Amino acid sequence: SPAFDLMISPNLNVPRILLPDAGNNIGLSQIALESSEYMDPRYVVNSMHPDDMGVWESFCTGTREQFHHMKQDFRNFYLDGALINVGNALAVAAPNANTHADEGFRQWYQRGAGPGRSRDLDEASQFFKWFGHWQYAVPVYLAFSVSEHWFPESPAVATLADFGNRSVRAMAVGAPTVGILQPGLGASRPSTGDSRWRPFHSNKSVSGHAFVGAVPFLTAASMTDSIALKTVLIAGSFGTAWTRIHDDDHYFSQVFLG
């Protein structure tokens, strides 16, 4: 059997082993490499995924792809004709906002189903309202988006990450339009004024909650091929918008634009 030499190899910085039969010195690392019985378990694991990226490399690659898709989304919406739909929405909302229609609808709803008149409706309003808080929604979508880099082999996590990516992109593309129209049209809340458009008079012309709350439902609807599920999700996208009318926080035209 080999005997350890007390001297340290100057090249490998490990003890040298003396093999009596061989008549020379050999390093521990060389014995390990030449042994047919030795294999580092880390090598076995890594050899199964030789081309897999690490978490940080995967995150950087995914972030670049996300920005590329987002840039294409902005081009599609703002440069390739989709923005005309915003003009169509403004054309529909204008008669409601600048006549008695908004106030008439508000009074009709509040008399029949406003807060305090139905416990079930009030509870449903509180539930759907949470989807419209961007302070909570954005961090959740971002967390979903990066989850695939931590669990790359899970199909369920991959689907969740795709949902997060799409939701973040939808928020990013729609936010500038909402942000410009809110003060640009200048309408007020029901509690502070009317719904008439007076540019820069106020900044409640578009319901931000309605916009943010619709994103997860419409995103999920775009990811399923089931007609029944798609219908349910699209219907759910109106939930947060309805809460703004139910709680008397916005006029109909403002919710519609959101």
PDB file of all heavy atoms in Angstrom, residues 4 130 149 174 181 211 254:
ATOM      1  N   PHE A   4       2.411   7.775   2.886  1.00  0.00           N
ATOM      2  CA  PHE A   4       2.465   9.221   2.771  1.00  0.00           C
ATOM      3  C   PHE A   4       3.867   9.738   3.017  1.00  0.00           C
ATOM      4  O   PHE A   4       4.557   9.309   3.953  1.00  0.00           O
ATOM      5  CB  PHE A   4       1.517   9.881   3.782  1.00  0.00           C
ATOM      6  CG  PHE A   4       0.081   9.846   3.348  1.00  0.00           C
ATOM      7  CD1 PHE A   4      -0.760   8.846   3.790  1.00  0.00           C
ATOM      8  CD2 PHE A   4      -0.412  10.805   2.473  1.00  0.00           C
ATOM      9  CE1 PHE A   4      -2.084   8.808   3.393  1.00  0.00           C
ATOM     10  CE2 PHE A   4      -1.732  10.775   2.085  1.00  0.00           C
ATOM     11  CZ  PHE A   4      -2.573   9.781   2.531  1.00  0.00           C
ATOM     12  N   TRP A 130     -59.071  44.394  -4.314  1.00  0.00           N
ATOM     13  CA  TRP A 130     -57.660  44.117  -4.079  1.00  0.00           C
ATOM     14  C   TRP A 130     -56.876  43.941  -5.380  1.00  0.00           C
ATOM     15  O   TRP A 130     -55.675  44.234  -5.439  1.00  0.00           O
ATOM     16  CB  TRP A 130     -57.506  42.869  -3.210  1.00  0.00           C
ATOM     17  CG  TRP A 130     -57.814  43.126  -1.765  1.00  0.00           C
ATOM     18  CD1 TRP A 130     -58.956  42.790  -1.084  1.00  0.00           C
ATOM     19  CD2 TRP A 130     -56.976  43.806  -0.820  1.00  0.00           C
ATOM     20  NE1 TRP A 130     -58.884  43.213   0.215  1.00  0.00           N
ATOM     21  CE2 TRP A 130     -57.679  43.838   0.418  1.00  0.00           C
ATOM     22  CE3 TRP A 130     -55.715  44.388  -0.896  1.00  0.00           C
ATOM     23  CZ2 TRP A 130     -57.156  44.425   1.556  1.00  0.00           C
ATOM     24  CZ3 TRP A 130     -55.186  44.973   0.250  1.00  0.00           C
ATOM     25  CH2 TRP A 130     -55.907  44.986   1.453  1.00  0.00           C
ATOM     26  N   HIS A 149     -36.586  31.098 -12.768  1.00  0.00           N
ATOM     27  CA  HIS A 149     -35.133  31.019 -12.658  1.00  0.00           C
ATOM     28  C   HIS A 149     -34.707  30.235 -11.421  1.00  0.00           C
ATOM     29  O   HIS A 149     -33.590  29.728 -11.366  1.00  0.00           O
ATOM     30  CB  HIS A 149     -34.542  32.427 -12.604  1.00  0.00           C
ATOM     31  CG  HIS A 149     -34.972  33.298 -13.747  1.00  0.00           C
ATOM     32  ND1 HIS A 149     -34.726  32.974 -15.056  1.00  0.00           N
ATOM     33  CD2 HIS A 149     -35.659  34.476 -13.779  1.00  0.00           C
ATOM     34  CE1 HIS A 149     -35.230  33.917 -15.857  1.00  0.00           C
ATOM     35  NE2 HIS A 149     -35.804  34.830 -15.101  1.00  0.00           N
ATOM     36  N   GLY A 174     -49.800  49.773 -20.855  1.00  0.00           N
ATOM     37  CA  GLY A 174     -51.006  50.555 -20.626  1.00  0.00           C
ATOM     38  C   GLY A 174     -50.824  51.749 -19.717  1.00  0.00           C
ATOM     39  O   GLY A 174     -51.572  52.735 -19.820  1.00  0.00           O
ATOM     40  N   LEU A 181     -54.041  60.330 -19.736  1.00  0.00           N
ATOM     41  CA  LEU A 181     -55.469  60.665 -19.810  1.00  0.00           C
ATOM     42  C   LEU A 181     -56.041  61.112 -18.470  1.00  0.00           C
ATOM     43  O   LEU A 181     -56.980  61.921 -18.447  1.00  0.00           O
ATOM     44  CB  LEU A 181     -56.260  59.467 -20.332  1.00  0.00           C
ATOM     45  CG  LEU A 181     -56.038  59.083 -21.799  1.00  0.00           C
ATOM     46  CD1 LEU A 181     -56.893  57.879 -22.165  1.00  0.00           C
ATOM     47  CD2 LEU A 181     -56.352  60.264 -22.722  1.00  0.00           C
ATOM     48  N   PHE A 211     -58.106  49.631 -14.536  1.00  0.00           N
ATOM     49  CA  PHE A 211     -57.042  49.192 -15.446  1.00  0.00           C
ATOM     50  C   PHE A 211     -56.217  48.079 -14.817  1.00  0.00           C
ATOM     51  O   PHE A 211     -56.026  47.000 -15.396  1.00  0.00           O
ATOM     52  CB  PHE A 211     -56.161  50.388 -15.817  1.00  0.00           C
ATOM     53  CG  PHE A 211     -54.811  50.011 -16.350  1.00  0.00           C
ATOM     54  CD1 PHE A 211     -54.678  49.281 -17.518  1.00  0.00           C
ATOM     55  CD2 PHE A 211     -53.657  50.384 -15.671  1.00  0.00           C
ATOM     56  CE1 PHE A 211     -53.428  48.931 -18.006  1.00  0.00           C
ATOM     57  CE2 PHE A 211     -52.412  50.051 -16.152  1.00  0.00           C
ATOM     58  CZ  PHE A 211     -52.294  49.311 -17.320  1.00  0.00           C
ATOM     59  N   GLN A 254     -65.365  56.940 -16.487  1.00  0.00           N
ATOM     60  CA  GLN A 254     -63.999  56.791 -15.988  1.00  0.00           C
ATOM     61  C   GLN A 254     -63.632  55.302 -15.824  1.00  0.00           C
ATOM     62  O   GLN A 254     -62.506  54.899 -16.100  1.00  0.00           O
ATOM     63  CB  GLN A 254     -63.862  57.525 -14.644  1.00  0.00           C
ATOM     64  CG  GLN A 254     -64.137  59.025 -14.780  1.00  0.00           C
ATOM     65  CD  GLN A 254     -64.353  59.708 -13.442  1.00  0.00           C
ATOM     66  OE1 GLN A 254     -64.386  59.065 -12.394  1.00  0.00           O
ATOM     67  NE2 GLN A 254     -64.530  61.031 -13.472  1.00  0.00           N
TER      68      GLN A 254
END
